[in-house]
Every structure is written in structure tokens, then in C-alpha cells.
Amino acid sequence: MRPLTYLAMSAMAAFLLIPVYLMVKISISVPGEVFTQHPTLLIHDVTLDHWRQIVTGGMLWPPLKKSLTVATATALLALALSAPAAYVIARMPRGWKYTTLLILFFTRMFPEVGIALPMAIRFIEWGLFDTNLGLTLAHLVRTLPITAWILVGSFEAIPREIEEAAGVDGAGHGRTLLRVILPLALPGLTVAALFAWLLSWEEFTFAVYLSLASRTLPLQVYYYVYQGNWFLTATYTTIITIPVLILTYALQRYLKAGTLAGAIK
Amino acid sequence: MPFRLGWRGFRGAIDVLFLAPLTLYILGLTLWPVLSTMALSFQDRRSGSFPTLANYQAVVEHFEFWDALYNTLFISVVGLSLELCLGLVMALCLSVPFRGRGVARALMLIPLGVPTIVSAANMRYIFGTVGYLNETLHQLGLLEIPIDWTSGGARTLMAVVAADLWKVTPLVMLILLAGLESIPGELYEAAVTDGAGAWQRFRYVTLPLLKPAITAALIIRGIDAFRIFALPLTLVGRSTPVLSTYTYFEYVDYQNPYTSAASATILLVMILATTIAYLQIAGTEEVIS
């Protein structure tokens, strides 16, 4: 059994690593090594041309800025909108809580192409098409159920007695929330914000429906894939992937089945 | 006492105030778009009359729609089966302690840290005409003339399934692993005492107790498999449409929001019907826990 397990695991590791390895390799390879009848698996000649072209060619900052702005705005707004609701849901009786969470889960069943279509049509009328605000509003659609879900879990973990004790000690409702609950929920809020940031950073469907001239990084990748430029594609994808990989490992202990329900797509 | 009552009344108002933003957002920017897509799908493109089935008629008369439907079902059924089998094998391997298990677990997380659009772009290096799959097959002496794996047909569907498998099997594995770890070890000890072999332990202890985790994985992954969009759009484009990309092409390439809405509605009904039917059979509590 043992050697078999190791063999299976090695095969698995190769399967998991090769696409990521190829991405990094192609981003630093000379074209002759990749666009040939017989591309090589190992790195022979290293070149930083593609990275230089993107970083110094002025092609990185506009999409990077858009992605950063939208992701950060999405994360902050997701907290502002879902944290108060999650606090109330966490204090609901069991049946109500269960139903509310199920409704949140059900919104995940709507195909995004069906949500994005009328949004695109309306956003053109409202002047929100191809804007950071418009894309942020769209990204909140996929983010809010997840952040609400995570936050219900973290508010639930705060014992009700603490709140009641604060009330007995004369703290008003607002002060209890601000001074007692909020600090205790801070780790949960951070995790939810990071998930929201990730979901927006890597989002593609809404971006492709709601953008034209101002692209996010994932759209930039799509554009270069269709130009057939493997090297610029590989470089952009490496740039997108770095923060996602780091955050995924940082958040791995929060990757519970419940949060996974929609967090990773 | 009046203070307490007042406090509660205040609290009720606060509750409503706290729930309002999220509720309004979901009503306004999730439910409303879905309903207006449905409404749009029953509206005539030229006369604007409502309701009409003209858009649905146009969609079902379009051969590409049937391609898209077939491809979606193929990718969902074949993909889900493979993900579940592979995910279960990986979870079983990782549930027993062995040297290097920590490293193996860390490696499993890699695809979760790679965005879908990135994994789709990466797969083009493998499945392209001058890609690494052709080169590997050539080195093994199995292939003379390079194949374009993304140009359509069964091999393209398998390429999409393989690419999807790469991205999501670790997710399935994590869900199943959590399920495996929740099975008490005493049950296995009892089964051994009763003389159960490895297969019997798997069949009569592991599988029944893993059912909630399998249900959760199937539903979560099933919904996403039906909605699959970025991966086929980037990897294979027009050559192999699925329902989501068909919906997108109708809107963007043919400038027809009405037929696009009709195919989005068909996709929505498929997802709802499948999920509700499955929840009816398997029970809902298992998904939430």
C-alpha cells in the first residue's frame, strides 16, 4: 500500500504543478524555446523581456489599478453591507437562521450570465458601464452571500452572555456593538474582507459583460489569449496569481466546506 | 422594566435597519436582474409584445444551442464523476498519516490559489497545436502529426473536462476529507473486531457516513459545472459552446439580448430543477452543516 500511495501522490503532484510551472517558465522563456515543433520542458534561456515589456511599457498599471480599486472597494462595501445583517442573522432563532442561510445559498444558483445581461443593458443607460463603480456593484453580487455566510459564523462564535454583561454594566446597544462585539469579530471581518477581495480580483464574467475600454487584469489575460501572445499572457497570469496563492495559503484554515460553498470557483 | 421594553423595541428597529442593506441589495441587484432576464426572454424582439415564445423558438431552432446543451451536460456528468472519484481517492490517501503528508496537502491547495481564467490560459500551453501534450505524446512515439485539441469535437470536450478537473478536484477533495475526518475511529475498530476487511470497511462504514459530504460536493460542484463560463470561453471559445458561453455569444456577437435571455432562463431552470430534485432526494440539512 505504502509505495502505491507515494506513486499516486507523485503523479498527483506532477499533475498539479505542471500547468503552474509552465506559466512561470513561459513568462521568462525566449520565444524560440516555446513556439517550436518541439517545445522544451526545462528552462534553457532565461529572458526578462516579457516582464520588462509589461512593467515598463505602461501596460500594467491601468488594468492593475482598476483591479486593485474594484477589489478593494468590493471588500469594504461587502463588509459594510453584510456585517450588520450577519450580526442579526447570527442572533436569530435556529429555524430563521437556517432559512436565511439557505436563501443566501440559493442566490448562488443563478447563472451569472443571466444576472450580467440586464445589468449590462441598464448600466449603459445609467452611465455605469465600463466604470469602476459599476463593476464593484456587480462584484458585490457574488461576494455578499459569501461574506454574509462567513460573518454569521464568526458572530455566532461570540457568546451572547458577553453582550448581556456589557448591557448590565450600563453600556448602550451602540456602545456594546462598537466596543465589545466589533473587536471580537475583527478576525472574522478580516477573513471575510480578504475573501471578498479575492473574489473580485479574479472575477471574469461580470468584468467581460460590463467593460469595454478599461480592462481588469483577468480581462487583459483574455485579450492576450485571443491575440495568441503566450508570453504576455503568461506574465499577466503570473502577476494575477501571486496574491491569490499567498492569500489562499494564508486563509487555508478557514477553507471550511461551508465557506467553500461558493468562495472558490 | 420600561427601560428593558424600550431597549427591545429599539433593538427591533435596529435589526430591521441592519438587515435592510443586504436584503435590498440582493433584491435589487440579484433577484431583479434574474427576473428581468426572464421577462426579456418572453418579449418579442421587434414588436416588443409580451409574452411570446418567439425567442425560445429561435433558440431551439439554432443548432449551436443543442451543441451547447449537449456540451454542458457532457462536461457536467463526465466532469463530476471524474472529480468525485479522483477527489475521493485523494482524500482517502491524505486521510492516513504518512511522511510528507503536510507537503502533499499544501500541493493540493495550488489549484485553489490559481484563478479560473489563469488556469484556462495555462491549459492552452498544454492543449495547443504546439502544446506540451502533443510534445509529450510525440516523445513517447504515440503521435506523428500534431493535433489541435481545442478545435472542437469529443477531444475538445475532454480537454475542457481535464482543465476543469485540474482546477476543482482539490475543492472536492477538501470537502470529502473534512467528511472523512469527522468519521469516528472507533467505528473502524469495531468493524475490524467484527472481522470486516478493507473493502467492507469502506463499503459499510466510510461510504454511508460520507454521504453528507458527497451530497455537498455534488451540489456545489454541480451548480458550477452547469454554469461553467470563463474556462470554456478562454480555452476553446466558439468551437465548443456551453450554455453560458452560448448565452454570451448571443448577446455580444449576435447583439440579441432576447435570445440570450431565453438561453439564460433555460440554464437557470436546469440548475434549479436539478438542485431541487437532488435536495428532495438527499435532504437539505446536509448541505448547510
Side-chain angles (χ1 to χ4, degrees):
Chain A
M1 192 63 198
R2 268 281 162 87
L4 209 66
T5 309
Y6 278 105
L7 198 69
M9 283 292 139
S10 313
M12 212 60 228
F15 174 70
L16 293 171
L17 280 170
I18 282 173
V20 180
Y21 165 76
L22 284 178
M23 166 179 87
V24 179
K25 175 208 146 60
I26 289 173
S27 82
I28 54 169
S29 286
V30 294
E33 211 175 277
V34 177
F35 272 133
T36 133
Q37 282 290 320
H38 302 294
T40 58
L41 196 57
L42 297 174
I43 301 169
H44 298 284
D45 292 313
V46 172
T47 171
L48 290 177
D49 281 356
H50 319 302
W51 283 85
R52 204 172 295 132
Q53 193 182 342
I54 284 180
V55 176
T56 62
M59 297 143 75
L60 179 63
W61 183 237
L64 179 64
K65 187 180 163 202
K66 175 150 186 172
S67 281
L68 283 174
T69 313
V70 171
T72 310
T74 303
L76 294 177
L77 281 173
L79 282 194
L81 289 168
S82 61
Y87 170 72
V88 176
I89 296 169
R91 295 288 183 257
M92 279 178 180
R94 219 183 126 71
W96 279 81
K97 184 160 60 188
Y98 174 75
T99 313
T100 317
L101 288 177
L102 202 64
I103 291 171
L104 285 176
F105 174 76
F106 263 71
T107 65
R108 295 275 313 156
M109 293 207 288
F110 303 141
E112 281 175 340
V113 285
I115 301 175
L117 172 75
M119 261 190 185
I121 297 171
R122 291 284 170 234
F123 279 13
I124 293 174
E125 291 171 15
W126 296 342
L128 286 170
F129 184 77
D130 213 14
T131 63
N132 289 348
L133 177 62
L135 192 56
T136 306
L137 291 176
H139 281 180
L140 282 170
V141 170
R142 68 193 306 249
T143 315
L144 285 174
I146 315 280
T147 48
W149 198 303
I150 296 173
L151 289 173
V152 168
S154 54
F155 283 124
E156 257 181 334
I158 301 170
R160 222 176 264 240
E161 292 77 42
I162 294 185
E163 235 172 298
E164 282 157 13
V168 171
D169 287 348
H173 198 60
R175 267 186 65 184
T176 310
L177 268 181
L178 219 61
R179 296 279 170 82
V180 181
I181 304 294
L182 211 58
L184 286 172
L186 208 56
L189 289 166
T190 314
V191 170
L194 289 173
F195 264 113
W197 192 90
L198 266 186
L199 283 173
S200 169
W201 173 258
E202 62 176 39
E203 204 281 334
F204 177 73
T205 311
F206 286 117
V208 82
Y209 265 89
L210 299 174
S211 312
L212 194 65
S214 68
R215 299 194 196 103
T216 60
L217 283 174
L219 283 184
Q220 196 79 346
V221 168
Y222 181 62
Y223 177 73
Y224 280 108
V225 162
Y226 270 89
Q227 280 208 336
N229 194 326
W230 282 23
F231 305 99
L232 295 187
T233 305
T235 313
Y236 275 115
T237 49
T238 310
I239 294 170
I240 299 183
T241 306
I242 291 168
V244 185
L245 265 181
I246 293 172
L247 283 179
T248 303
Y249 279 93
L251 295 174
Q252 60 166 306
R253 62 196 184 91
Y254 303 103
L255 288 173
K256 300 269 159 52
T259 21
L260 285 170
I264 312 289
K265 217 196 93 175
Chain B
M1 200 57 186
F3 168 75
R4 273 189 77 89
L5 272 178
W7 192 72
R8 274 198 193 154
F10 174 64
R11 189 161 176 169
I14 290 267
D15 281 358
V16 173
L17 200 69
F18 275 20
L19 283 171
L22 183 69
T23 315
L24 290 177
Y25 205 95
I26 289 177
L27 288 179
L29 277 142
T30 306
L31 200 63
W32 174 80
V34 169
L35 292 177
S36 62
T37 294
M38 287 180 178
L40 205 60
S41 77
F42 289 108
Q43 199 175 358
D44 192 79
R45 187 182 188 182
R46 284 170 200 86
S47 65
S49 64
F50 179 91
T52 167
L53 287 173
N55 301 313
Y56 287 93
Q57 202 177 346
V59 165
V60 296
E61 280 170 5
H62 195 188
F63 73 94
E64 223 183 338
F65 169 77
W66 295 102
D67 269 0
L69 181 65
Y70 170 78
N71 292 341
T72 306
L73 291 174
F74 182 94
I75 291 167
S76 304
V77 173
V78 177
L80 269 180
S81 320
L82 289 174
E83 281 155 28
L84 214 58
C85 293
L86 207 58
L88 185 59
V89 171
M90 282 158 64
L92 287 170
C93 283
L94 284 176
S95 66
V96 291
F98 61 92
R99 249 158 71 100
R101 180 164 75 156
V103 179
R105 280 196 182 200
L107 282 177
M108 296 293 165
L109 281 177
I110 288 176
L112 296 177
V114 175
T116 309
I117 180 84
V118 174
S119 74
N122 290 347
M123 289 301 162
R124 288 179 76 98
Y125 312 138
I126 293 169
F127 293 113
T129 317
V130 290
Y132 285 85
L133 179 61
N134 278 345
E135 177 59 14
T136 311
L137 293 174
H138 177 84
Q139 294 286 345
L140 295 171
L142 295 169
L143 189 73
E144 284 294 320
I145 305 151
I147 298 174
D148 184 357
W149 295 87
T150 60
S151 63
R155 58 166 178 256
T156 302
L157 279 178
M158 284 317 291
V160 175
V161 168
D164 194 40
L165 211 60
W166 184 82
K167 171 73 183 135
V168 300
T169 308
L171 172 65
V172 174
M173 188 278 293
L174 278 181
I175 297 172
L176 296 181
L177 189 62
L180 280 178
E181 284 173 345
S182 70
I183 300 174
E186 299 91 64
L187 287 178
Y188 290 106
E189 286 162 26
V192 171
T193 320
D194 289 346
W199 167 252
Q200 284 170 315
R201 288 199 299 270
F202 176 73
R203 173 69 187 80
Y204 296 105
V205 180
T206 311
L207 266 189
L209 289 168
L210 205 56
K211 203 186 137 228
I214 294 175
T215 305
L218 265 180
I219 288 187
I220 292 164
R221 281 299 314 142
I223 292 172
D224 282 346
F226 273 147
R227 305 192 307 175
I228 190 166
F229 179 72
L231 177 71
L233 184 67
T234 311
L235 184 60
V236 295
R238 287 297 292 267
S239 80
T240 308
V242 293
L243 283 176
S244 280
T245 55
Y246 176 83
T247 305
Y248 173 74
F249 296 139
E250 283 297 306
Y251 175 59
V252 171
D253 293 359
Y254 297 117
Q255 304 284 318
N256 191 341
Y258 300 92
T259 45
S260 178
S263 101
T265 306
I266 294 171
L267 178 57
L268 171 66
V269 170
M270 272 174 60
I271 294 174
L272 285 177
T274 318
T275 313
I276 291 170
Y278 196 84
L279 284 175
Q280 288 284 319
I281 299 166
T284 44
E285 311 81 50
E286 292 164 352
V287 187
I288 294 291
S289 54

